[in-house]
Amino acid sequence: MTQHGFPAGQSRARRASDDADVIVVGAGPGGSSAAYHLARAGLDVLVLEKSTFPREKVCGDGLTPRAVKQLVGMGIALEPADGWFPNKGIRIIGGGVRIELDWPDLSSYPGFGLVRTRRGFDEIVARAAQRAGARLAEGVTVTGPVLDDSAQRIVGVTARETATGDGGAERTYRARLVVAADGNSSRLSLAMGLRKRDDRPLGVAIRTYYTSPRHDDDYLETWLDLRDGNALLPGYGWIFGVGDGTSNVGLGLLNTSASFGHVDYREMLRRWLASMPAEWGFAEENRLGPVRGAALPMGFNRTPHYTRGLLLVGDAGGMVNPFNGEGISCAMESGEIAAQVIIQALARPDRASAELALRGYPQALKDAYGGYYTLGRKFVGAIGHPWFMQFATRHGLPRPALMRFTMKLLANLTEPRGGDAADRVINALSRITPAA
Ligand SMILES: Cc1cc2nc3c(=O)[nH]c(=O)nc-3n(C[C@H](O)[C@H](O)[C@H](O)COP(=O)(O)OP(=O)(O)OC[C@H]3O[C@@H](n4cnc5c(N)ncnc54)[C@H](O)[C@@H]3O)c2cc1C
């Protein structure tokens, strides 16, 4: 038997020419989580990351209790003294109403969230994967898949050292399986024929940082309607205190909105912030760094999540939560799910049986998120209509019980079994809604 249970000579055993058991492309939260769990199980994992840490990533930097649970599960210490800024819940502002909702008390998730900029966050998660035994090659850009003799199955990737640009020599790395955790654009998935689906929601959001007295806000503040005086601007916004003297401020728009593709995001941000109290400090002279934007691929907008030796994790598989734009926890959770599937597959005695295990990955994701994301797509369709948002903010926000239910729904924070009435309704709705 080989190290992972394959009888010698079986087709799925690691070949002498392989550089690793598994190659993970991208060391964002999804790739690093996959690498961590694979390495913990004793597999040889090679992570190829085009940038070098520390590096920025456009994000709101908000971590819900789901993300906190993942970090705790990777053995990462979350001390405020080390730069982790805790929060108690979310503050929702809309329809002239302002309501604070604490994270629910649950046996399955911690009762606090965090804020940490991606500059530090991604490196911490990547280093945890390294400590677990994964090999991390920074500054290596993957340029395409390497296919087997039948040109069907991915058996590795080609890559160049990023710093050398196009002039650098291309190298081939081989492995039994490849994880695409290369983010929203996922060029590796594209090269394997996996395009984005037009029938799934997509958001575009921008953010920047300001020095602000609101930096130590211990609620994640979400604005459901954005105003410039009496004018209602499209989209939603957030102000997240980073706890280091700055606030992360941003706004986004979903492709279900009639304004999608027709707005100047930076101008919208300027108009929205101009309507805020001057003492909050969201003025040009307090802005630190540029306003940057990126896409949020939601509700499984690239499928299938497994094909021909390639597993998609996080944004590469379009896994951002359509209810709230949260993508870090889904990236980390899908990384862990992919790792568990791979660990089982690589221990199977023959190729057919390993393939059967791998084909279970899309189903495992559907079981985890499918019904909930289908509900989310309907929600996103509804909030694309201004009348829905106006109705919801006017009539929904003032009712605390309804809003607590909404908070559990938006943040996907329920007890998997038992729980209160809200938990049971949300779980039942997610179960009975088809996972498409
Ligand atoms: C404006 C904005 C605000 C957001 N706010 C939040 C928030 O507050 N909370 C939240 O939970 N989510 C938020 N999100 C979503 C979140 O940022 C993503 O869902 C999350 O980063 C996905 O993680 P990932 O690991 O799948 O991909 P990524 O974080 O994108 O990581 C992909 C990695 O792959 C690397 N890579 C790419 N191509 C290659 C290649 N060819 N070769 C090698 N490496 C490669 C990249 O350098 C990167 O390190 C926000 C998104 C945006 C755009």
Side-chain angles (χ1 to χ4, degrees):
M1 298 285 272
T2 62
Q3 186 190 359
H4 302 296
F6 286 101
Q10 285 286 336
S11 57
R12 290 196 59 81
R14 182 164 166 186
R15 297 155 297 223
S17 58
D18 279 344
D19 295 282
D21 291 316
V22 185
I23 289 174
V24 176
V25 180
S32 294
S33 155
Y36 171 88
H37 292 286
L38 290 165
R40 289 273 297 185
L43 290 170
D44 181 11
V45 193
L46 176 61
V47 187
L48 304 175
E49 165 56 50
K50 71 175 177 187
S51 58
T52 48
F53 291 115
R55 62 109 176 86
E56 249 203 293
K57 155 83 177 84
V58 179
C59 190
D61 307 327
L63 301 164
T64 67
R66 286 189 85 101
V68 174
K69 180 175 182 173
Q70 285 293 315
L71 295 166
V72 171
M74 290 176 70
I76 294 172
L78 303 172
E79 294 303 321
D82 295 332
W84 297 94
F85 185 60
N87 56 65
K88 298 181 192 162
I90 54 176
R91 180 181 308 115
I92 301 177
I93 296 177
V97 183
R98 180 180 184 276
I99 183 168
E100 280 173 2
L101 296 166
D102 288 358
W103 300 117
D105 285 324
L106 299 170
S107 66
S108 16
Y109 296 99
F112 69 100
L114 293 165
V115 173
R116 175 153 207 148
T117 66
R118 297 292 295 274
R119 194 174 162 75
F121 177 83
D122 286 33
E123 177 164 19
I124 288 170
V125 184
R127 300 286 174 236
Q130 264 186 317
R131 276 197 304 279
R135 289 180 287 141
L136 171 64
E138 296 176 51
V140 177
T141 300
V142 169
T143 49
V146 174
L147 301 178
D148 64 4
D149 292 341
S150 62
Q152 285 302 313
R153 191 181 178 85
I154 189 168
V155 291
V157 294
T158 50
R160 283 182 210 282
E161 282 194 26
T162 309
T164 54
D166 281 341
E170 199 163 66
R171 242 205 85 170
T172 296
Y173 297 88
R174 291 176 181 274
R176 290 190 282 174
L177 290 167
V178 178
V179 173
D182 48 348
N184 166 59
S185 314
S186 192
R187 297 199 192 292
L188 188 61
S189 307
L190 269 178
M192 289 290 286
L194 301 176
R195 301 186 182 285
K196 279 188 186 149
R197 296 175 56 148
D198 296 333
D199 61 341
R200 300 291 154 103
L202 182 83
V204 169
I206 58 166
R207 70 94 177 93
T208 189
Y209 297 92
Y210 293 90
T211 316
S212 169
R214 297 205 51 199
H215 77 102
D216 56 358
D217 190 350
D218 51 9
Y219 283 85
L220 296 178
E221 186 168 288
T222 307
W223 291 55
L224 296 184
D225 52 17
L226 309 181
R227 288 186 179 274
D228 172 16
N230 286 331
L232 185 64
L233 307 170
Y236 64 94
W238 69 84
I239 301 172
F240 294 168
V242 184
D244 62 352
T246 68
S247 295
N248 178 319
V249 183
L251 57 82
L253 200 61
L254 303 175
N255 63 353
T256 47
S257 161
S259 305
F260 190 78
H262 309 291
V263 292
D264 177 343
Y265 288 87
R266 285 170 178 76
E267 175 60 10
M268 213 159 82
L269 183 68
R270 192 195 61 72
R271 288 177 64 189
W272 176 45
L273 296 184
S275 71
M276 291 190 185
E279 60 271 22
W280 289 0
F282 300 135
E284 274 306 285
E285 61 270 24
N286 298 327
R287 179 155 65 81
L288 300 169
V291 180
R292 290 224 164 95
L296 294 112
M298 298 176 166
F300 290 164
N301 89 337
R302 188 181 274 113
T303 55
H305 290 122
Y306 171 71
T307 184
R308 300 177 289 139
L310 183 76
L311 295 93
L312 274 48
V313 155
D315 276 13
M319 296 190 203
V320 172
N321 183 343
F323 279 106
N324 64 5
E326 172 188 14
I328 296 171
S329 62
C330 328
M332 296 183 79
E333 288 170 5
S334 61
E336 182 175 8
I337 297 170
Q340 296 308 336
V341 168
I342 291 171
I343 292 160
Q344 294 302 323
L346 292 186
R348 298 277 174 102
D350 57 69
R351 179 184 278 257
S353 154
E355 201 57 27
L356 193 60
L358 290 166
R359 275 193 248 118
Y361 177 55
Q363 190 55 51
L365 289 176
K366 278 185 181 174
D367 291 347
Y369 306 108
Y372 177 74
Y373 278 9
T374 304
L375 288 176
R377 290 200 296 276
K378 295 189 192 313
F379 171 78
V380 161
I383 63 172
H385 299 287
W387 60 262
F388 175 85
M389 281 307 279
Q390 276 168 22
F391 181 86
T393 50
R394 241 177 247 142
H395 300 281
L397 277 178
R399 294 178 172 74
L402 178 61
M403 284 316 293
R404 269 194 296 279
F405 172 85
T406 309
M407 140 77 109
K408 286 188 165 192
L409 181 67
L410 293 189
N412 198 8
L413 286 171
T414 58
E415 294 286 17
R417 277 166 292 279
D420 64 13
D423 296 326
R424 289 196 294 274
V425 170
I426 294 167
N427 292 342
L429 276 174
S430 301
R431 261 196 311 273
I432 60 173
T433 308

